[in-house]
Amino acid sequence: GQPLIIVNAAEVPLGPISLSMGYEYVGKEEVEDALQAPTALALQLGTDVERIRLCSPRPIEALLELVAERRPGLLVVGPDRTRMRKRTYAKLAKKISTRAACLVWLAS
């Protein structure tokens, strides 16, 4: 009976040049397609679904703030590991698992 919140947390640098040039996050079609599958399945099962895009220079911090605000029972983290270094993923996993006040499932 709980809603499903699907979050796309993306890093967007906020430097003087980025702000003046109007750089912003541009969603990739493959990411949108990947997020559409669980959305469609949840809707078929009668679950309320909310999709959120977090664009921040510190997306993990933004995600943790959202988790603190929404207080989910379970946080599933599934980044595209092909776009991350192993050390970056390890740092992300440690930060989320130690600071999120809910169950955390990290995709391997």
Side-chain angles (χ1 to χ4, degrees):
Q2 296 296 313
L4 174 64
I5 303 170
I6 298 176
V7 180
N8 179 9
E11 183 174 16
V12 177
L14 289 180
I17 293 174
S18 328
L19 293 173
S20 66
M21 299 292 286
Y23 294 150
E24 59 185 51
Y25 174 77
V26 177
K28 293 184 174 27
E29 192 171 321
E30 62 204 30
V31 172
E32 293 303 316
D33 290 346
L35 296 176
Q36 185 57 36
T39 301
L41 177 60
L43 289 171
Q44 286 177 353
L45 296 172
T47 303
D48 291 332
V49 180
E50 180 180 0
R51 288 190 51 188
I52 298 173
R53 179 181 294 150
L54 289 176
C55 297
S56 171
R58 295 185 304 274
I60 302 308
E61 293 298 323
L63 178 62
L64 288 168
E65 286 178 23
L66 181 68
V67 167
E69 179 183 302
R70 297 291 183 98
R71 300 179 56 156
L74 173 65
L75 173 63
V76 177
V77 182
D80 183 351
R81 299 281 302 274
T82 63
R83 297 177 189 236
M84 300 182 89
R85 293 186 191 125
K86 287 183 181 183
R87 293 177 88 180
T88 303
Y89 180 77
K91 186 177 176 181
L92 166 149
K94 182 178 180 182
K95 186 180 278 190
I96 289 175
S97 61
T98 57
R99 292 187 42 203
C102 64
L103 293 173
V104 176
W105 184 80
L106 297 163
S108 54

